[in-house]
Amino acid sequence: MASIHDVARVAGVSISTVSYALSGKRSIAASTRARVLDAVESLGYRPNAGARMLAGTRTNIFALTAPFHADTYAPAHMAFVLAVAQAARAHDYDVLLLTQDEATNGLRRVASSRLVDGIIVLDVAGDDDRVAVIRELGVPSTFIGVPRDAAGLVCVDLDFEAAAALAVEKLAAAGHRSIGLIGHSPGVYARGSNFPPRFRDGFFAAAAARGIETAFAMPERDGPSARLALDALYRDCPDMTAVVLHAEETVQAAVLDVLRERGLRVPGDLSVLSACASFETDHFEPPLDTIPLVAADSCTRAVDLAIEQVGGPIEPRIELVPPRFYERGSIAPPRTRSSASPRP
Amino acid sequence: MASIHDVARVAGVSISTVSYALSGKRSIAASTRARVLDAVESLGYRPNAGARMLAGTRTNIFALTAPFHADTYAPAHMAFVLAVAQAARAHDYDVLLLTQDEATNGLRRVASSRLVDGIIVLDVAGDDDRVAVIRELGVPSTFIGVPRDAAGLVCVDLDFEAAAALAVEKLAAAGHRSIGLIGHSPGVYARGSNFPPRFRDGFFAAAAARGIETAFAMPERDGPSARLALDALYRDCPDMTAVVLHAEETVQAAVLDVLRERGLRVPGDLSVLSACASFETDHFEPPLDTIPLVAADSCTRAVDLAIEQVGGPIEPRIELVPPRFYERGSIAPPRTRSSASPRP
DNA sequence: CTGAAAGCGCTTACAG
DNA sequence: CTGAAAGCGCTTACAG
């Protein structure tokens, strides 16, 4: 394996010139640089990673702590892991994957051995063990999600309150005055991360501000629960003309199945808006208007902030990514009472 | 951050003694070792990763190349990634995650910069770009899955032929003489990896050897296709008394839904065996007997073989992991004709 | 059982 | 614009 000395010899320069020619950290005569690059090319030279880590100030590796729990939704988890890896590569960083077991010890290990320059924290729980460790280590870190106590931390997340408000706004603009919300399972609100309550509260606040009637249900992940949830919404809001789905893919699909079974057309009989989903909603029948949770948005920003921190400390913050709306045709003005088709 | 010199000073020994006390590579007086460990503890010393990589012979990092395609099934993908990470940690190895974009360039980069000691290859396609790169790099690598041309490679995979034979054997032992197979979508057999054909061929061979009648269907991933597939099996095998599900979770669930709708009980009216699933089958209603694809089995062995290769070249091989059978109560003897309930 | 020292392959002040 | 050299923090022969 060729070393920097080999390149220097072939190019007829010193090793410092080779280093600078490759890093661009000082100006090099064009002809010299060309000779160096030729030598690099012909020798197939790649700087040794260990030597760079030791001599330089950074390792160009981020740790990604992505614990996987029993109730982790794999496709969303995957999307975030991939988005982080991709964003990191755009800054010439590699990603070291840390998993469940060893969650906190792994962080200690890779940070204090200086194997990584920083840490990206995924699947942040309200009360997360990793918060204390990261505070203690004082290593550049970005949380994707917001722990209960975020003092001193750098966090990035979708603005769930704004997403909920946007959902209400879009439906209100179409004329809806009575909107149901199908959320996650009760367990998710009890423990879990804090985004489901943030969305729920944002929804109620935005609806209240417009004098819109609301109902709320928290089905489990199975089809029968989705069916019951819809019944509960219609019971609480007999005039409901729109529903917001802030739930997992299986539940969203199940709700559409139930509507189809009952002969309720979307958006003719009911407008439906999917909110904060990290999956595509245009495979549904019908495709759903959506305010998605875009993994790439949060992850790109999180990596940017980690890179900034590698350069030096930055102000702690909670940075909220603004939501976006995509129209797919599942929202229409509500039927007037007279023309409404009877509900089963 | 404490260095090995600090530890040596505090313990009153030389740095080589510290190094050997920690690595155990030469014998150290018990009292000396104790002083060293005390110093390490009190200073919170962790060897610098870059320095170890540069001075030592290995980096203790494996690259994990896990491309994610449009039709990747996230839960299975996730299970394999986690199983590799866990197996690696058991050998004190970390995992560097390489994703889709940059699949082959990433391998070149991390291998020739000596950032990793070896490569674990996931989601192996029949005709996989990474094969040529890895041959060229000559770096310790294990494939989880078997490419078409595996010459010179170390591969680990479930023994799909044996799994299919075991499925037939279990059903034959219960008295079944006519068995349907619901496989993956036609596209998967056309391109994709080679395990679906391996399972299919193993199934036909085992059935033929026992004079068992067979039928085969390849539904797409949606519910309606699953329904049609079942119809096709009954059309081809009117006396079918058992079905093997070698398909994704959604399809397996859909088949059970269809059976329930039609009033066909499992295993009373039809025995069902799930084969090579990387998800739990005991959440199904009813829970299914299963010959699972256990990610940990293949991944543990794959990592073991990678570790071996770091020590020096080993014989190329395709190592097939034997299947296991778990009973959940979804197989029973077939109804005799007279007592059979009529099919809808 | 232990130590002094070379060397891994870079980066980056220091010097000109 | 370029070079000679120190130094990053380890591991591991070499020596005793």
Side-chain angles (χ1 to χ4, degrees), chain B residues 195-226:
Chain B
F195 73 86
R198 277 158 59 201
F199 186 91
R200 176 199 59 200
D201 297 347
F203 174 80
F204 288 138
R210 292 170 184 273
I212 286 174
E213 190 185 39
T214 58
F216 177 47
M218 298 176 285
E220 297 297 333
R221 295 186 179 195
D222 51 290
S225 298

PDB file of all heavy atoms in Angstrom, chain B residues 195-226:
ATOM      1  N   PHE B 195     -32.246 -16.567  -3.366  1.00  0.00           N
ATOM      2  CA  PHE B 195     -32.844 -17.494  -2.406  1.00  0.00           C
ATOM      3  C   PHE B 195     -34.282 -17.895  -2.731  1.00  0.00           C
ATOM      4  O   PHE B 195     -34.648 -19.035  -2.469  1.00  0.00           O
ATOM      5  CB  PHE B 195     -32.715 -16.968  -0.964  1.00  0.00           C
ATOM      6  CG  PHE B 195     -33.598 -15.825  -0.631  1.00  0.00           C
ATOM      7  CD1 PHE B 195     -34.901 -16.035  -0.203  1.00  0.00           C
ATOM      8  CD2 PHE B 195     -33.141 -14.522  -0.737  1.00  0.00           C
ATOM      9  CE1 PHE B 195     -35.723 -14.975   0.119  1.00  0.00           C
ATOM     10  CE2 PHE B 195     -33.962 -13.456  -0.421  1.00  0.00           C
ATOM     11  CZ  PHE B 195     -35.262 -13.686   0.001  1.00  0.00           C
ATOM     12  N   PRO B 196     -35.085 -17.019  -3.356  1.00  0.00           N
ATOM     13  CA  PRO B 196     -36.437 -17.496  -3.660  1.00  0.00           C
ATOM     14  C   PRO B 196     -36.441 -18.707  -4.605  1.00  0.00           C
ATOM     15  O   PRO B 196     -37.113 -19.699  -4.317  1.00  0.00           O
ATOM     16  CB  PRO B 196     -37.121 -16.272  -4.268  1.00  0.00           C
ATOM     17  CG  PRO B 196     -36.353 -15.106  -3.717  1.00  0.00           C
ATOM     18  CD  PRO B 196     -34.935 -15.589  -3.671  1.00  0.00           C
ATOM     19  N   PRO B 197     -35.675 -18.653  -5.694  1.00  0.00           N
ATOM     20  CA  PRO B 197     -35.607 -19.867  -6.526  1.00  0.00           C
ATOM     21  C   PRO B 197     -35.035 -21.067  -5.773  1.00  0.00           C
ATOM     22  O   PRO B 197     -35.482 -22.197  -5.991  1.00  0.00           O
ATOM     23  CB  PRO B 197     -34.671 -19.465  -7.675  1.00  0.00           C
ATOM     24  CG  PRO B 197     -34.462 -18.009  -7.575  1.00  0.00           C
ATOM     25  CD  PRO B 197     -34.994 -17.505  -6.293  1.00  0.00           C
ATOM     26  N   ARG B 198     -34.064 -20.818  -4.907  1.00  0.00           N
ATOM     27  CA  ARG B 198     -33.474 -21.949  -4.173  1.00  0.00           C
ATOM     28  C   ARG B 198     -34.527 -22.618  -3.296  1.00  0.00           C
ATOM     29  O   ARG B 198     -34.599 -23.840  -3.220  1.00  0.00           O
ATOM     30  CB  ARG B 198     -32.300 -21.474  -3.302  1.00  0.00           C
ATOM     31  CG  ARG B 198     -30.984 -21.352  -4.066  1.00  0.00           C
ATOM     32  CD  ARG B 198     -29.995 -20.421  -3.402  1.00  0.00           C
ATOM     33  NE  ARG B 198     -29.642 -20.799  -2.055  1.00  0.00           N
ATOM     34  CZ  ARG B 198     -29.123 -19.954  -1.143  1.00  0.00           C
ATOM     35  NH1 ARG B 198     -28.917 -18.689  -1.453  1.00  0.00           N
ATOM     36  NH2 ARG B 198     -28.824 -20.379   0.045  1.00  0.00           N
ATOM     37  N   PHE B 199     -35.358 -21.805  -2.648  1.00  0.00           N
ATOM     38  CA  PHE B 199     -36.415 -22.375  -1.813  1.00  0.00           C
ATOM     39  C   PHE B 199     -37.427 -23.119  -2.681  1.00  0.00           C
ATOM     40  O   PHE B 199     -37.803 -24.253  -2.401  1.00  0.00           O
ATOM     41  CB  PHE B 199     -37.117 -21.286  -1.000  1.00  0.00           C
ATOM     42  CG  PHE B 199     -38.115 -21.847  -0.027  1.00  0.00           C
ATOM     43  CD1 PHE B 199     -37.741 -22.168   1.273  1.00  0.00           C
ATOM     44  CD2 PHE B 199     -39.431 -22.095  -0.415  1.00  0.00           C
ATOM     45  CE1 PHE B 199     -38.650 -22.721   2.164  1.00  0.00           C
ATOM     46  CE2 PHE B 199     -40.348 -22.643   0.467  1.00  0.00           C
ATOM     47  CZ  PHE B 199     -39.957 -22.955   1.760  1.00  0.00           C
ATOM     48  N   ARG B 200     -37.846 -22.463  -3.743  1.00  0.00           N
ATOM     49  CA  ARG B 200     -38.849 -23.050  -4.643  1.00  0.00           C
ATOM     50  C   ARG B 200     -38.366 -24.399  -5.179  1.00  0.00           C
ATOM     51  O   ARG B 200     -39.083 -25.402  -5.112  1.00  0.00           O
ATOM     52  CB  ARG B 200     -39.098 -22.086  -5.812  1.00  0.00           C
ATOM     53  CG  ARG B 200     -40.046 -22.582  -6.878  1.00  0.00           C
ATOM     54  CD  ARG B 200     -39.863 -21.787  -8.159  1.00  0.00           C
ATOM     55  NE  ARG B 200     -38.482 -21.890  -8.646  1.00  0.00           N
ATOM     56  CZ  ARG B 200     -37.916 -21.043  -9.500  1.00  0.00           C
ATOM     57  NH1 ARG B 200     -38.601 -20.013  -9.969  1.00  0.00           N
ATOM     58  NH2 ARG B 200     -36.662 -21.224  -9.894  1.00  0.00           N
ATOM     59  N   ASP B 201     -37.143 -24.423  -5.673  1.00  0.00           N
ATOM     60  CA  ASP B 201     -36.626 -25.661  -6.251  1.00  0.00           C
ATOM     61  C   ASP B 201     -36.505 -26.759  -5.193  1.00  0.00           C
ATOM     62  O   ASP B 201     -36.798 -27.927  -5.453  1.00  0.00           O
ATOM     63  CB  ASP B 201     -35.274 -25.404  -6.921  1.00  0.00           C
ATOM     64  CG  ASP B 201     -35.406 -24.416  -8.084  1.00  0.00           C
ATOM     65  OD1 ASP B 201     -36.554 -24.148  -8.508  1.00  0.00           O
ATOM     66  OD2 ASP B 201     -34.372 -23.900  -8.549  1.00  0.00           O
ATOM     67  N   GLY B 202     -36.065 -26.355  -4.001  1.00  0.00           N
ATOM     68  CA  GLY B 202     -35.965 -27.316  -2.907  1.00  0.00           C
ATOM     69  C   GLY B 202     -37.326 -27.894  -2.553  1.00  0.00           C
ATOM     70  O   GLY B 202     -37.462 -29.091  -2.258  1.00  0.00           O
ATOM     71  N   PHE B 203     -38.330 -27.036  -2.632  1.00  0.00           N
ATOM     72  CA  PHE B 203     -39.693 -27.465  -2.316  1.00  0.00           C
ATOM     73  C   PHE B 203     -40.182 -28.503  -3.321  1.00  0.00           C
ATOM     74  O   PHE B 203     -40.651 -29.584  -2.960  1.00  0.00           O
ATOM     75  CB  PHE B 203     -40.608 -26.234  -2.314  1.00  0.00           C
ATOM     76  CG  PHE B 203     -42.064 -26.536  -2.133  1.00  0.00           C
ATOM     77  CD1 PHE B 203     -42.592 -26.794  -0.872  1.00  0.00           C
ATOM     78  CD2 PHE B 203     -42.920 -26.564  -3.228  1.00  0.00           C
ATOM     79  CE1 PHE B 203     -43.941 -27.070  -0.703  1.00  0.00           C
ATOM     80  CE2 PHE B 203     -44.275 -26.841  -3.070  1.00  0.00           C
ATOM     81  CZ  PHE B 203     -44.782 -27.094  -1.807  1.00  0.00           C
ATOM     82  N   PHE B 204     -40.009 -28.188  -4.606  1.00  0.00           N
ATOM     83  CA  PHE B 204     -40.472 -29.117  -5.644  1.00  0.00           C
ATOM     84  C   PHE B 204     -39.723 -30.439  -5.570  1.00  0.00           C
ATOM     85  O   PHE B 204     -40.311 -31.512  -5.699  1.00  0.00           O
ATOM     86  CB  PHE B 204     -40.317 -28.492  -7.038  1.00  0.00           C
ATOM     87  CG  PHE B 204     -41.309 -27.394  -7.312  1.00  0.00           C
ATOM     88  CD1 PHE B 204     -40.920 -26.229  -7.958  1.00  0.00           C
ATOM     89  CD2 PHE B 204     -42.635 -27.522  -6.918  1.00  0.00           C
ATOM     90  CE1 PHE B 204     -41.833 -25.214  -8.218  1.00  0.00           C
ATOM     91  CE2 PHE B 204     -43.563 -26.503  -7.169  1.00  0.00           C
ATOM     92  CZ  PHE B 204     -43.157 -25.351  -7.816  1.00  0.00           C
ATOM     93  N   ALA B 205     -38.424 -30.344  -5.334  1.00  0.00           N
ATOM     94  CA  ALA B 205     -37.607 -31.563  -5.286  1.00  0.00           C
ATOM     95  C   ALA B 205     -38.037 -32.464  -4.125  1.00  0.00           C
ATOM     96  O   ALA B 205     -38.232 -33.678  -4.292  1.00  0.00           O
ATOM     97  CB  ALA B 205     -36.126 -31.204  -5.155  1.00  0.00           C
ATOM     98  N   ALA B 206     -38.211 -31.849  -2.958  1.00  0.00           N
ATOM     99  CA  ALA B 206     -38.577 -32.642  -1.778  1.00  0.00           C
ATOM    100  C   ALA B 206     -39.960 -33.261  -1.953  1.00  0.00           C
ATOM    101  O   ALA B 206     -40.196 -34.414  -1.576  1.00  0.00           O
ATOM    102  CB  ALA B 206     -38.537 -31.771  -0.526  1.00  0.00           C
ATOM    103  N   ALA B 207     -40.870 -32.467  -2.544  1.00  0.00           N
ATOM    104  CA  ALA B 207     -42.223 -32.973  -2.746  1.00  0.00           C
ATOM    105  C   ALA B 207     -42.216 -34.120  -3.750  1.00  0.00           C
ATOM    106  O   ALA B 207     -42.848 -35.171  -3.534  1.00  0.00           O
ATOM    107  CB  ALA B 207     -43.141 -31.856  -3.219  1.00  0.00           C
ATOM    108  N   ALA B 208     -41.477 -33.930  -4.839  1.00  0.00           N
ATOM    109  CA  ALA B 208     -41.404 -34.969  -5.875  1.00  0.00           C
ATOM    110  C   ALA B 208     -40.851 -36.260  -5.293  1.00  0.00           C
ATOM    111  O   ALA B 208     -41.359 -37.353  -5.569  1.00  0.00           O
ATOM    112  CB  ALA B 208     -40.529 -34.490  -7.034  1.00  0.00           C
ATOM    113  N   ALA B 209     -39.821 -36.120  -4.453  1.00  0.00           N
ATOM    114  CA  ALA B 209     -39.188 -37.307  -3.864  1.00  0.00           C
ATOM    115  C   ALA B 209     -40.187 -38.106  -3.030  1.00  0.00           C
ATOM    116  O   ALA B 209     -40.035 -39.312  -2.852  1.00  0.00           O
ATOM    117  CB  ALA B 209     -37.995 -36.890  -3.006  1.00  0.00           C
ATOM    118  N   ARG B 210     -41.205 -37.435  -2.522  1.00  0.00           N
ATOM    119  CA  ARG B 210     -42.185 -38.120  -1.674  1.00  0.00           C
ATOM    120  C   ARG B 210     -43.492 -38.370  -2.413  1.00  0.00           C
ATOM    121  O   ARG B 210     -44.491 -38.785  -1.808  1.00  0.00           O
ATOM    122  CB  ARG B 210     -42.489 -37.278  -0.431  1.00  0.00           C
ATOM    123  CG  ARG B 210     -41.321 -37.166   0.523  1.00  0.00           C
ATOM    124  CD  ARG B 210     -41.613 -36.121   1.587  1.00  0.00           C
ATOM    125  NE  ARG B 210     -40.469 -35.926   2.450  1.00  0.00           N
ATOM    126  CZ  ARG B 210     -40.229 -36.647   3.538  1.00  0.00           C
ATOM    127  NH1 ARG B 210     -41.050 -37.621   3.882  1.00  0.00           N
ATOM    128  NH2 ARG B 210     -39.162 -36.415   4.269  1.00  0.00           N
ATOM    129  N   GLY B 211     -43.510 -38.038  -3.691  1.00  0.00           N
ATOM    130  CA  GLY B 211     -44.737 -38.230  -4.457  1.00  0.00           C
ATOM    131  C   GLY B 211     -45.861 -37.319  -4.016  1.00  0.00           C
ATOM    132  O   GLY B 211     -47.039 -37.676  -4.102  1.00  0.00           O
ATOM    133  N   ILE B 212     -45.498 -36.156  -3.528  1.00  0.00           N
ATOM    134  CA  ILE B 212     -46.508 -35.218  -3.051  1.00  0.00           C
ATOM    135  C   ILE B 212     -46.896 -34.259  -4.167  1.00  0.00           C
ATOM    136  O   ILE B 212     -46.043 -33.766  -4.911  1.00  0.00           O
ATOM    137  CB  ILE B 212     -45.965 -34.448  -1.827  1.00  0.00           C
ATOM    138  CG1 ILE B 212     -45.959 -35.376  -0.610  1.00  0.00           C
ATOM    139  CG2 ILE B 212     -46.775 -33.184  -1.556  1.00  0.00           C
ATOM    140  CD1 ILE B 212     -45.331 -34.789   0.620  1.00  0.00           C
ATOM    141  N   GLU B 213     -48.185 -34.014  -4.274  1.00  0.00           N
ATOM    142  CA  GLU B 213     -48.724 -33.112  -5.275  1.00  0.00           C
ATOM    143  C   GLU B 213     -48.462 -31.651  -4.855  1.00  0.00           C
ATOM    144  O   GLU B 213     -48.563 -31.327  -3.672  1.00  0.00           O
ATOM    145  CB  GLU B 213     -50.231 -33.356  -5.360  1.00  0.00           C
ATOM    146  CG  GLU B 213     -50.935 -32.693  -6.501  1.00  0.00           C
ATOM    147  CD  GLU B 213     -52.445 -32.929  -6.396  1.00  0.00           C
ATOM    148  OE1 GLU B 213     -52.979 -32.897  -5.257  1.00  0.00           O
ATOM    149  OE2 GLU B 213     -53.077 -33.124  -7.449  1.00  0.00           O
ATOM    150  N   THR B 214     -48.127 -30.793  -5.812  1.00  0.00           N
ATOM    151  CA  THR B 214     -47.812 -29.399  -5.458  1.00  0.00           C
ATOM    152  C   THR B 214     -48.506 -28.401  -6.371  1.00  0.00           C
ATOM    153  O   THR B 214     -48.904 -28.728  -7.492  1.00  0.00           O
ATOM    154  CB  THR B 214     -46.297 -29.115  -5.581  1.00  0.00           C
ATOM    155  OG1 THR B 214     -45.888 -29.408  -6.918  1.00  0.00           O
ATOM    156  CG2 THR B 214     -45.484 -29.937  -4.604  1.00  0.00           C
ATOM    157  N   ALA B 215     -48.619 -27.191  -5.849  1.00  0.00           N
ATOM    158  CA  ALA B 215     -49.047 -26.041  -6.654  1.00  0.00           C
ATOM    159  C   ALA B 215     -48.240 -24.854  -6.168  1.00  0.00           C
ATOM    160  O   ALA B 215     -47.730 -24.860  -5.049  1.00  0.00           O
ATOM    161  CB  ALA B 215     -50.533 -25.787  -6.485  1.00  0.00           C
ATOM    162  N   PHE B 216     -48.129 -23.843  -7.022  1.00  0.00           N
ATOM    163  CA  PHE B 216     -47.223 -22.732  -6.715  1.00  0.00           C
ATOM    164  C   PHE B 216     -47.836 -21.431  -7.216  1.00  0.00           C
ATOM    165  O   PHE B 216     -48.350 -21.379  -8.337  1.00  0.00           O
ATOM    166  CB  PHE B 216     -45.878 -22.998  -7.409  1.00  0.00           C
ATOM    167  CG  PHE B 216     -44.864 -21.898  -7.253  1.00  0.00           C
ATOM    168  CD1 PHE B 216     -44.616 -21.316  -6.005  1.00  0.00           C
ATOM    169  CD2 PHE B 216     -44.131 -21.455  -8.350  1.00  0.00           C
ATOM    170  CE1 PHE B 216     -43.659 -20.310  -5.869  1.00  0.00           C
ATOM    171  CE2 PHE B 216     -43.173 -20.457  -8.219  1.00  0.00           C
ATOM    172  CZ  PHE B 216     -42.941 -19.884  -6.971  1.00  0.00           C
ATOM    173  N   ALA B 217     -47.790 -20.411  -6.391  1.00  0.00           N
ATOM    174  CA  ALA B 217     -48.304 -19.103  -6.812  1.00  0.00           C
ATOM    175  C   ALA B 217     -47.352 -18.014  -6.352  1.00  0.00           C
ATOM    176  O   ALA B 217     -46.684 -18.148  -5.329  1.00  0.00           O
ATOM    177  CB  ALA B 217     -49.690 -18.857  -6.217  1.00  0.00           C
ATOM    178  N   MET B 218     -47.284 -16.943  -7.142  1.00  0.00           N
ATOM    179  CA  MET B 218     -46.374 -15.828  -6.840  1.00  0.00           C
ATOM    180  C   MET B 218     -47.158 -14.527  -6.783  1.00  0.00           C
ATOM    181  O   MET B 218     -47.133 -13.754  -7.732  1.00  0.00           O
ATOM    182  CB  MET B 218     -45.302 -15.733  -7.926  1.00  0.00           C
ATOM    183  CG  MET B 218     -44.412 -16.945  -8.055  1.00  0.00           C
ATOM    184  SD  MET B 218     -43.241 -16.797  -9.434  1.00  0.00           S
ATOM    185  CE  MET B 218     -44.344 -17.091 -10.821  1.00  0.00           C
ATOM    186  N   PRO B 219     -47.842 -14.266  -5.685  1.00  0.00           N
ATOM    187  CA  PRO B 219     -48.646 -13.037  -5.605  1.00  0.00           C
ATOM    188  C   PRO B 219     -47.778 -11.794  -5.481  1.00  0.00           C
ATOM    189  O   PRO B 219     -46.653 -11.863  -4.977  1.00  0.00           O
ATOM    190  CB  PRO B 219     -49.455 -13.236  -4.326  1.00  0.00           C
ATOM    191  CG  PRO B 219     -48.605 -14.130  -3.480  1.00  0.00           C
ATOM    192  CD  PRO B 219     -47.902 -15.049  -4.444  1.00  0.00           C
ATOM    193  N   GLU B 220     -48.314 -10.656  -5.935  1.00  0.00           N
ATOM    194  CA  GLU B 220     -47.712  -9.371  -5.581  1.00  0.00           C
ATOM    195  C   GLU B 220     -47.948  -9.143  -4.096  1.00  0.00           C
ATOM    196  O   GLU B 220     -48.570  -9.949  -3.429  1.00  0.00           O
ATOM    197  CB  GLU B 220     -48.347  -8.249  -6.422  1.00  0.00           C
ATOM    198  CG  GLU B 220     -48.114  -8.397  -7.915  1.00  0.00           C
ATOM    199  CD  GLU B 220     -46.632  -8.324  -8.301  1.00  0.00           C
ATOM    200  OE1 GLU B 220     -45.865  -7.679  -7.554  1.00  0.00           O
ATOM    201  OE2 GLU B 220     -46.237  -8.906  -9.318  1.00  0.00           O
ATOM    202  N   ARG B 221     -47.489  -7.970  -3.607  1.00  0.00           N
ATOM    203  CA  ARG B 221     -47.510  -7.779  -2.156  1.00  0.00           C
ATOM    204  C   ARG B 221     -48.850  -7.370  -1.574  1.00  0.00           C
ATOM    205  O   ARG B 221     -48.952  -7.125  -0.384  1.00  0.00           O
ATOM    206  CB  ARG B 221     -46.534  -6.666  -1.777  1.00  0.00           C
ATOM    207  CG  ARG B 221     -45.118  -6.993  -2.068  1.00  0.00           C
ATOM    208  CD  ARG B 221     -44.271  -5.893  -1.506  1.00  0.00           C
ATOM    209  NE  ARG B 221     -42.874  -6.156  -1.734  1.00  0.00           N
ATOM    210  CZ  ARG B 221     -41.902  -5.524  -1.115  1.00  0.00           C
ATOM    211  NH1 ARG B 221     -42.202  -4.607  -0.222  1.00  0.00           N
ATOM    212  NH2 ARG B 221     -40.652  -5.810  -1.366  1.00  0.00           N
ATOM    213  N   ASP B 222     -49.872  -7.225  -2.386  1.00  0.00           N
ATOM    214  CA  ASP B 222     -51.116  -6.683  -1.849  1.00  0.00           C
ATOM    215  C   ASP B 222     -52.123  -7.774  -1.497  1.00  0.00           C
ATOM    216  O   ASP B 222     -52.008  -8.926  -1.919  1.00  0.00           O
ATOM    217  CB  ASP B 222     -51.710  -5.716  -2.864  1.00  0.00           C
ATOM    218  CG  ASP B 222     -51.817  -6.329  -4.222  1.00  0.00           C
ATOM    219  OD1 ASP B 222     -50.739  -6.541  -4.860  1.00  0.00           O
ATOM    220  OD2 ASP B 222     -52.925  -6.644  -4.657  1.00  0.00           O
ATOM    221  N   GLY B 223     -53.118  -7.402  -0.736  1.00  0.00           N
ATOM    222  CA  GLY B 223     -54.138  -8.323  -0.272  1.00  0.00           C
ATOM    223  C   GLY B 223     -54.878  -9.028  -1.407  1.00  0.00           C
ATOM    224  O   GLY B 223     -54.985 -10.263  -1.397  1.00  0.00           O
ATOM    225  N   PRO B 224     -55.402  -8.279  -2.387  1.00  0.00           N
ATOM    226  CA  PRO B 224     -56.131  -8.917  -3.485  1.00  0.00           C
ATOM    227  C   PRO B 224     -55.310  -9.996  -4.190  1.00  0.00           C
ATOM    228  O   PRO B 224     -55.833 -11.060  -4.556  1.00  0.00           O
ATOM    229  CB  PRO B 224     -56.434  -7.747  -4.426  1.00  0.00           C
ATOM    230  CG  PRO B 224     -56.447  -6.544  -3.530  1.00  0.00           C
ATOM    231  CD  PRO B 224     -55.449  -6.818  -2.453  1.00  0.00           C
ATOM    232  N   SER B 225     -54.015  -9.749  -4.379  1.00  0.00           N
ATOM    233  CA  SER B 225     -53.159 -10.738  -5.040  1.00  0.00           C
ATOM    234  C   SER B 225     -53.065 -12.004  -4.195  1.00  0.00           C
ATOM    235  O   SER B 225     -53.048 -13.123  -4.716  1.00  0.00           O
ATOM    236  CB  SER B 225     -51.750 -10.184  -5.266  1.00  0.00           C
ATOM    237  OG  SER B 225     -51.800  -9.064  -6.112  1.00  0.00           O
ATOM    238  N   ALA B 226     -53.003 -11.830  -2.874  1.00  0.00           N
ATOM    239  CA  ALA B 226     -52.923 -12.985  -1.982  1.00  0.00           C
ATOM    240  C   ALA B 226     -54.171 -13.845  -2.144  1.00  0.00           C
ATOM    241  O   ALA B 226     -54.108 -15.078  -2.189  1.00  0.00           O
ATOM    242  CB  ALA B 226     -52.782 -12.522  -0.539  1.00  0.00           C
TER     243      ALA B 226
END
